[in-house]
Amino acid sequence: MSMQVEKLDNNMAKLTIEVSADDFEKACNDAYNKNKSKISIPGFRKGKVPRQIIEKTYGPGVFYEDAADICIRNTYGEELDANKEIEVVSRPEIEVTQCEKGKSFIYVASVALKPEVKLGKYKGVKIEKVSTEVTDADVDAEIEKERRANSRTIVVEDRPVKDGDITVINFEGFVDGVAFEGGKGENYPLTIGSGQFIPGFEEQLIGAKIGEDVEVNVTFPEDYQAEDLAGKAAVFKCKVNEIKETELPEADDEFASEVSDFDTIAEWKEDLKKSLTEKKVASAKEEKENKALEAAVENAEMVIPDAMAEFECEQMINDYAMRLSQQGLSIDQYLMFTGMDMDGLKAQMKPQAIKTIKSRLVLEAIVNEEKLEANDDEIDAEIAKMAEMYGMEADKLKESIGDREKELMSKDVCLRKAVELVAAEAKEGK
């Protein structure tokens, strides 16, 4: 077994991997043993047909496809592990170039290689100063959230619709006088001002009374997901069935005593300001790190191959699909609800994927440049955090963690050190 590496432009490469004729023959025999129970030939019991008879009946290449899969699966990862000079950062595109009886098996894997990074200025980058000030308006906004969380909805019968009301409506949409599919609804709950419907729709319901018929004239956006409606004028015939409004409690001492640990609104506000300040300091630290890293990335030079960005997109989509599944929603259902397909989702995620890749590569380059390392105490601290997360004892978790896991922890610690270094050296302007 051997591998030849041909480096191409834009950090792409072709890996030509050759598997010996003996190993290919062994793979063919493994493929025969895997499939023989499924093959029936007159005169032989099922599963007992000799390989030579099957190949004579169906051709010598009957087991080649499975044998090729076996060869690729057994050799690709092994060859990459043995060749430390390259680091593959994409899924391989495989092309079999030789697959014949008595000859070596040869295939080519087209892959993206980890790009080289030319660091620019990463120490002393200039960034905008991040404020940690908490204003009275910030405190009032928190109280407003709590008021809304403790609000109640009441039915309104003695006035027309106003902004902020919760309405229940019937509607049917028409384009050029013809009703269109998906444009009809009955007893639909719509909060006026929520922006849930087409721009201009909700505002035209303001002033309508219960039981009153209202014609709403709108124009669908040019980028509307239903192409047959995009950019077209439409008339919705609506009827208001119900009007409800949200009633908020007064922000007074009584309310403070009910929703907080304090007897007065003044004491509660003081505590809110303290907790908001703590959150804002933590948030400002993270924002400063992000801004400093963005500046360092902007000053660096690298070429990101499309295959690497594609692979990162796939990883992001898999993570997103997992989060959706925790909410009882599949990725296919999400695409249906949003009117997107998988290519559209990848296109939407690609800019963030490239940003993530560049940030990671720059941080890795800084780790190498600064010779940053993680000591045993820092690794133990990471294990302690993980143990707390999973409700385990740190010592027992440490015993179960292998060298590979510790290596990944060490890498994470070093990347975080690189972020902290760039942020600490950054110069904040006004």
Side-chain angles (χ1 to χ4, degrees), residues 71 74 78 115 124 147 153 155 177 185 192 225 272 300 313 317 338 356-357 366 371 375 382 389 413 420:
C71 286
N74 290 344
E78 188 178 327
R147 290 178 71 203
T153 302
V155 175
I192 306 302
Q225 62 186 35
L272 280 174
C313 280
I317 290 171
T338 58
T356 299
I357 291 168
I366 292 172
K371 297 180 174 55
N375 58 43
E382 290 297 301
M389 185 186 305
V413 169
E420 290 169 353

Side-chain angles (χ1 to χ4, degrees), residues 322-392:
M322 188 175 297
R323 292 198 298 274
L324 285 173
S325 68
Q326 292 169 352
Q327 302 170 30
L329 195 67
S330 72
I331 190 70
D332 289 334
Q333 288 172 319
Y334 171 79
L335 292 174
M336 181 181 69
F337 293 153
T338 58
M340 275 195 296
D341 57 16
M342 189 59 74
D343 288 339
L345 183 58
K346 284 182 179 179
Q348 187 182 80
M349 289 190 168
K350 189 172 182 178
Q352 181 58 46
I354 292 174
K355 182 178 179 180
T356 299
I357 291 168
K358 287 184 173 182
S359 297
R360 185 170 63 238
L361 290 174
V362 166
L363 287 174
E364 288 173 356
I366 292 172
V367 168
N368 292 331
E369 182 71 18
E370 297 289 333
K371 297 180 174 55
L372 301 177
E373 296 180 350
N375 58 43
D376 291 341
D377 289 341
E378 289 166 332
I379 298 299
D380 287 344
E382 290 297 301
I383 293 173
K385 287 180 191 175
M386 188 180 295
E388 184 178 358
M389 185 186 305
Y390 292 106
M392 298 176 63

